[in-house]
């Protein structure tokens, strides 16, 4: 059966009342958004002839998603974080702020307030015997001038692909540090090479991905926020080369410029400057920031974030 009711006066008036358009109180922006969203939902129901059974399974899916705390996990899987990045890239291009190291999604697993270190940080608590990662790089402006005192906020998963705080079995702020660059713009971190990440296999995100014939895996990756006075705040990540999912990331965060080799070396000059001797796996990520006077651009956008 396929009936058309969207153009009727009854449905138009219903949508206006739903969104409070006939009320003086409330928030106009929210009203506009809700009116549009509900219109489009109704339109989808009409166009795709959604059955009551399909409709209610979607409603209870959202209930479960919330109960599992997975709404912000599902969003990247549905390409929404990537889409916001595409828009921000286009806005930067329009504002003449393109260039520098590319952004990519923040993901849902950042925790604010990680220990702040000068030049060097040991990120792991020593409880997992993984390959020693020596993560190093230089933060510069677009002309290649080093930026001393830039803040490099780094977070990554452990050998299980799990993040501290969200995985309560890990110590506080394990694999999370903020590092101030030295006088030459350099940062160095000793850690463990992270494993790839997978969505909770019994969770709501994976349940939907299964229906789409998709996996819920991310390659081994390392997250960064980088900020320096007078420069645009950068949210980005690197994906390690050679991972099965490097170019098949369910969260769509991979960009060619952000794929980095993990190179086993007998010794690391950057590591030895900080007393890390012997064989390590070196991961080098140099970061170029774009200069801007806009205070707004110098800060990360607001969103709900955990604070341990
Ligand atoms: C998700 C997890 C991540 O570690 C990440 O970086 C991005 C997204 C997720 O579960 O959606
Ligand atoms: Fe992640």
């Amino acid at each position: 059966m396929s009936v058309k009711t969207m153009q009727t006066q009854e449905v138009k008036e219903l949508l206006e009342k739903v969104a409070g358009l006939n009320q003086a109180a409330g928030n106009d922006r929210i009203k506009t958004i809700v009116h549009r969203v509900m219109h489009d939902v109704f339109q989808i129901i009409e166009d795709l002839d959604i059955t009551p059974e399909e409709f209610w399974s979607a409603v209870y899916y959202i209930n479960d998603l919330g109960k599992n705390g997975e709404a912000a996990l599902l969003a990247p899987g549905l390409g929404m974080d990537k889409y916001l990045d595409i828009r921000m890239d286009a806005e930067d291009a329009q504002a003449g702020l393109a260039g520098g190291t590319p952004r990519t999604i923040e993901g849902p697993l950042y925790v604010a307030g990680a220990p702040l270190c000068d030049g060097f940080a040991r990120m792991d608590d020593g409880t997992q015997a993984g390959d020693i990662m020596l993560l190093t790089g230089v933060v510069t402006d677009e002309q290649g001038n080093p930026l001393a005192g830039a803040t490099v906020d780094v977070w990554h998963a452990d050998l299980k692909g799990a993040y501290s705080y969200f995985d309560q079995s890990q110590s506080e702020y394990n694999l999370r540090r903020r590092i101030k660059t030295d006088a030459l713009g350099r940062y160095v971190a000793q850690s463990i090479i992270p494993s790839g990440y997978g969505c909770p296999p019994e969770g709501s995100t994976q349940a939907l991905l299964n229906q789409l014939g998709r996996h819920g895996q991310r390659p081994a990756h390392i997250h960064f926020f980088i900020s320096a006075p007078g420069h645009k705040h950068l949210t980005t990540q690197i994906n390690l080369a050679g991972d099965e999912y490097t170019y098949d990331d369910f969260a769509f965060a991979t960009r060619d410029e952000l794929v980095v080799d993990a190179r086993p070396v007998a010794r690391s000059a950057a590591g030895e400057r900080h007393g890390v001797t012997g064989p390590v796996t070196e991961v080098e990520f140099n970061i170029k920031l774009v200069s801007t006077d806009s205070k707004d651009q110098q800060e990360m956008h607001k969103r709900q974030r955990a604070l341990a």
Side-chain angles (χ1 to χ4, degrees):
M1 209 201 309
S2 177
V3 295
K4 301 291 174 200
T5 59
M6 281 302 287
Q7 298 307 320
T8 63
Q9 196 58 27
E10 187 181 12
V11 172
K12 281 185 186 161
E13 281 172 17
L14 174 62
L15 279 168
E16 283 170 13
K17 287 185 196 158
V18 164
L21 296 185
N22 59 343
Q23 300 294 327
N27 178 309
D28 285 340
R29 173 74 173 159
I30 303 286
K31 290 182 186 196
T32 303
I33 295 168
V34 168
H35 185 257
R36 175 60 186 269
V37 168
M38 293 319 302
H39 171 277
D40 288 5
V41 169
F42 285 17
Q43 190 73 59
I44 290 167
I45 292 173
E46 175 169 287
D47 290 350
L48 302 184
D49 217 358
I50 299 295
T51 66
E53 185 183 354
E54 288 172 330
F55 174 76
W56 290 110
S57 74
V59 169
Y60 285 101
Y61 176 80
I62 293 171
N63 255 3
D64 289 341
L65 186 68
K67 269 189 244 166
N68 298 342
E70 286 197 34
L73 267 60
L74 177 62
L78 293 181
M80 292 196 256
D81 304 42
K82 174 66 181 178
Y83 180 59
L84 295 182
D85 276 357
I86 290 171
R87 281 179 54 80
M88 286 187 274
D89 283 354
E91 284 166 2
D92 282 352
Q94 200 170 60
L97 286 170
T101 300
R103 65 160 53 81
T104 195
I105 72 165
E106 172 179 333
L109 304 173
Y110 177 71
V111 179
L116 184 60
C117 311
D118 266 324
F120 171 81
R122 170 88 188 255
M123 296 182 68
D124 66 301
D125 63 8
T127 58
Q128 293 188 11
D131 287 340
I132 299 173
M133 174 166 76
L134 203 292
L135 174 66
T136 183
V138 186
V139 181
T140 67
D141 66 12
E142 281 193 281
Q143 289 69 47
N145 304 304
L147 296 174
T151 304
V152 182
D153 197 338
V154 188
W155 70 104
H156 66 79
D158 71 356
L159 299 183
K160 307 184 300 288
Y163 287 81
S164 66
Y165 180 86
F166 301 95
D167 168 15
Q168 288 287 327
S169 77
Q170 295 183 45
S171 59
E172 189 171 71
Y173 287 118
N174 190 36
L175 312 178
R176 301 177 184 275
R177 289 294 182 276
R178 288 177 294 161
I179 309 168
K180 287 261 182 214
T181 56
D182 70 11
L184 299 178
R186 301 176 297 192
Y187 72 93
V188 182
Q190 178 190 340
S191 197
I192 49 174
I193 293 280
S195 296
Y197 166 93
C199 290
E202 304 305 327
S204 304
T205 302
Q206 189 59 53
L208 179 56
L209 294 171
N210 290 343
Q211 293 294 322
L212 303 177
R214 293 178 49 197
H215 66 72
Q217 304 297 315
R218 298 211 56 212
H221 62 278
I222 301 162
H223 295 266
F224 293 82
F225 284 148
I226 307 110
S227 58
H231 292 81
K232 187 160 66 100
H233 180 274
L234 177 64
T235 299
T236 195
Q237 309 180 24
I238 51 177
N239 291 313
L240 300 186
D243 189 297
E244 178 182 0
Y245 297 104
T246 305
Y247 292 101
D248 185 23
D249 176 0
F250 100 98
F252 307 103
T254 304
R255 301 182 77 151
D256 288 342
E257 307 92 318
L258 302 174
V259 174
V260 172
D261 284 324
R263 291 182 304 117
V265 293
R267 43 186 295 192
S268 156
E272 286 181 354
R273 288 203 310 273
H274 297 281
V276 187
T277 54
V280 296
T281 301
E282 217 174 45
V283 175
E284 184 182 10
F285 182 47
N286 299 316
I287 299 145
K288 266 193 173 46
L289 296 184
V290 176
S291 68
T292 177
D293 291 332
S294 159
K295 290 283 173 217
D296 233 32
Q297 292 281 343
Q298 292 176 26
E299 289 180 9
M300 67 175 102
H301 62 252
K302 290 196 176 69
R303 69 179 266 186
Q304 189 178 307
R305 293 183 175 91
L307 177 66

